[in-house]
Amino acid sequence: MRYMLTIVLAGALWAVCGGALADSLDVTVREPMRLVAEWEADRNYALTIVAIVFILGALIALINALPNDRAKLGAVVLGSAVTVLTGVANLVFEFDHRQYKVLAREGRSLLDEIEYKRGQLKEMPTEEKANRSALTEEIRRDARTIVNLAQSLKERSPKTGALGPGGPSGGIISTAWAQQGRVPAWTSAIPTDDANLYFVGFADGRDYQAVRKASEQLAYDDARAFLAGQLESAGKAASAEAAAAAGYLLEAARVADTYVAYDKTQNTYRAYTLLALGRKLAGTDLQLFAAKNSVALPPAQAQALQAAARKPDDYLAQRVQVYTNESNKAQAALPPAQYDQYTRARKLRLEGKTEEAIAQLKDVVRLQPDFYLGWFNLALAYDERKDFVNGNSAYERAIALESKGKLRDASLYNSYGFFLFKQKKYREAAGMLKTALELAPDHPKARTTLAAAQAAAGP
């Protein structure tokens, strides 16, 4: 109770004394810091007792092997010492050394995140009140999480005995992404394990909350496309049915981690979201979807879902890498105002505000005619509007820039191929889709659309 009271009082202090933000945050993290230091120390003490008990147990075994009475008396004394040490450990410590290790590791990870975010606050202009407020609330939330870690462990201990190596999410990766400001590995290399499928969303812009939301949405979009592609390829399901099933499966997905970096020179934020979907739960949910919607479920679909795996260089990973690289180039080359206009236009497009997005993107590419991402996003906006004339022109310009820059962006060729397919230009569509598959052989949408285009084109 006193721990929660500390956090509540810290929150009140922040609300009353907005000008003393740094001081209030010091109060907010003081108790979490104390707890983590205490868990680290208790883990060492508990581990020391375990080591002593182990050594005494070994000595007792050796002494019992001796024939004389003194040896047996020594074994009794040492046995009593073991009993006393075990009793003291049970009375003094709430957890064993393994549980303290988990508490200390997770608490230290959260403290690293808090310190990183506090560093971002120092760099953030004071007039950005909404962004500063959002970041401050995240710090307070992280602090409350640390305070509640011990109680959370107690609640789960009867079932699991400990949090286990997977951390609080039951097998979900928990990365100390903020440690010394380092970028977590999962932003550039998809993690793999037997329990989950992972997806990464990436977005940037000047609105902290909007950027985080956009990165999460893009992670969900990629996961939906991946799952739908797996289901289509395995079960010959219709696109709409596969998309609906994928959406149903994603109701069980969880955000495993996030990372946000602040670029002081551009005054922009870059956000990454790591989304995790449990394989076993997805398999069960697929059966529930089939029963709920009275849809026949080919065994191959369930099998494909269980066997589905992300590869470090699969088409989704390639797309994130291309977008990251091109965004870095654009940030370095474009004036801050123009890059900001581009990120706002992309956000508008993703929100379905197509006309506004087109107006902004046309202005961006007029000022920056060699800006690949600007042309690609403009093509996608025309695509969404079903503007075939302008869409073809924008796609052709993006293709020229992609080829010139040797970007190897399979998503561009897949998107243009599907756009041509919708125009019933089947042979041209097939050419684009073949290029997409040359760059990303595992691209399921390109493969299924290519087959449909070739069948429609005829011999």
Side-chain angles (χ1 to χ4, degrees):
M1 178 62 69
R2 66 177 184 275
Y3 299 152
M4 290 305 299
L5 182 59
T6 300
I7 303 302
V8 171
L9 290 175
L13 179 62
W14 176 84
V16 174
C17 306
L21 177 60
D23 290 340
S24 76
L25 289 179
D26 285 339
V27 175
T28 299
V29 301
R30 190 175 299 156
E31 182 63 15
M33 290 176 67
R34 185 194 69 78
L35 281 172
V36 172
E38 182 177 283
W39 293 332
E40 290 172 339
D42 286 349
R43 187 252 176 173
N44 291 334
Y45 294 142
L47 186 59
T48 299
I49 290 176
V50 169
I52 293 173
V53 168
F54 179 83
I55 293 171
L56 291 177
L59 289 174
I60 291 171
L62 290 172
I63 292 174
N64 280 330
L66 300 176
N68 56 61
D69 293 337
R70 286 187 178 181
K72 293 183 179 180
L73 178 62
V76 171
V77 172
L78 292 177
S80 299
V82 169
T83 301
V84 170
L85 285 171
T86 303
V88 169
N90 290 334
L91 287 172
V92 174
F93 300 113
E94 292 182 273
F95 308 107
D96 66 24
H97 69 93
R98 293 165 298 181
Q99 294 168 311
Y100 277 124
K101 179 181 178 181
V102 173
L103 287 171
R105 183 184 67 224
E106 294 189 5
R108 182 60 61 187
S109 174
L110 285 166
L111 283 179
D112 288 338
E113 293 188 20
I114 287 172
E115 285 304 306
Y116 181 80
K117 291 172 183 176
R118 292 182 72 182
Q120 287 185 312
L121 273 177
K122 291 178 182 179
E123 298 288 339
M124 199 179 294
T126 55
E127 60 270 17
E128 293 193 12
K129 294 182 180 179
N131 288 332
R132 292 177 66 85
S133 175
L135 199 54
T136 301
E137 285 304 311
E138 287 192 11
I139 292 171
R140 294 176 64 211
R141 190 161 54 246
D142 288 342
R144 287 195 296 269
T145 300
I146 294 174
V147 170
N148 290 325
L149 276 175
Q151 184 59 38
S152 176
L153 177 57
K154 287 179 183 177
E155 292 172 355
R156 278 173 282 179
S157 289
K159 294 182 180 180
T160 65
L163 292 177
S169 302
I172 301 299
I173 289 177
S174 179
T175 307
W177 58 265
Q179 189 174 28
Q180 299 178 359
R182 292 181 296 187
V183 179
W186 58 260
T187 62
S188 57
I190 291 292
T192 57
D193 61 44
D194 294 334
N196 303 288
L197 286 169
Y198 294 99
F199 304 90
V200 174
F202 163 82
D204 53 1
R206 291 192 175 182
D207 187 320
Y208 176 82
Q209 291 177 301
V211 165
R212 287 201 59 170
K213 183 179 179 181
S215 72
E216 182 176 333
Q217 183 59 54
L218 287 167
Y220 273 97
D221 289 346
D222 277 1
R224 186 177 294 105
F226 178 87
L227 294 171
Q230 295 291 318
L231 295 173
E232 280 188 63
S233 298
K236 307 299 182 184
S239 297
E241 181 182 295
Y248 186 82
L249 297 178
L250 284 175
E251 292 178 8
R254 292 179 286 179
V255 173
D257 206 355
T258 57
Y259 171 74
V260 183
Y262 177 62
D263 186 335
K264 186 178 180 180
T265 59
Q266 292 276 351
N267 189 25
T268 58
Y269 302 91
R270 175 166 293 181
Y272 294 85
T273 296
L274 179 65
L275 186 71
L277 178 67
R279 293 175 185 273
K280 290 183 179 179
L281 189 59
T284 303
D285 283 349
L286 185 61
Q287 295 176 8
L288 290 173
F289 173 82
K292 182 178 178 182
N293 294 277
S294 301
V295 175
L297 180 66
Q301 284 190 328
Q303 293 167 5
L305 198 59
Q306 292 296 321
R310 295 290 313 276
K311 298 178 181 178
D313 59 346
D314 68 13
Y315 74 99
L316 290 176
Q318 287 180 20
R319 187 171 71 177
V320 171
Q321 193 59 52
V322 169
Y323 193 84
T324 301
N325 292 341
E326 291 307 299
S327 294
N328 289 339
K329 292 177 186 177
Q331 276 192 311
L334 271 61
Q338 289 179 17
Y339 189 74
D340 179 50
Q341 185 178 20
Y342 157 71
T343 59
R344 285 187 283 109
R346 182 172 183 259
K347 178 175 176 288
L348 288 169
R349 183 183 69 76
L350 293 171
E351 291 173 348
K353 300 175 181 178
T354 307
E355 298 304 321
E356 296 174 64
I358 288 173
Q360 295 286 334
L361 288 165
K362 285 173 66 176
D363 193 43
V364 169
V365 297
R366 177 180 61 83
L367 297 170
Q368 299 292 335
D370 293 330
F371 181 25
Y372 169 67
L373 292 178
W375 281 106
F376 190 4
N377 275 269
L378 180 58
L380 291 170
Y382 283 133
D383 191 333
E384 290 155 10
R385 194 172 72 175
K386 297 182 174 60
D387 185 339
F388 295 142
V389 174
N390 287 314
N392 287 334
S393 297
Y395 270 122
E396 289 294 342
R397 179 59 180 156
I399 291 285
L401 292 170
E402 191 277 342
S403 179
K404 180 180 178 182
K406 298 179 180 179
L407 306 182
R408 299 182 61 79
D409 190 357
S411 63
L412 171 63
Y413 294 94
N414 173 68
S415 297
Y416 191 22
F418 191 58
F419 188 59
L420 291 167
F421 180 84
K422 288 185 289 187
Q423 299 174 62
K424 299 184 179 180
K425 297 180 178 180
Y426 300 122
R427 297 189 187 282
E428 295 93 327
M432 290 295 160
L433 294 164
K434 286 179 180 178
T435 302
L437 288 170
E438 288 172 3
L439 296 172
D442 63 327
H443 201 305
K445 187 66 176 178
R447 188 181 305 111
T448 54
T449 308
L450 175 60
Q454 289 174 329

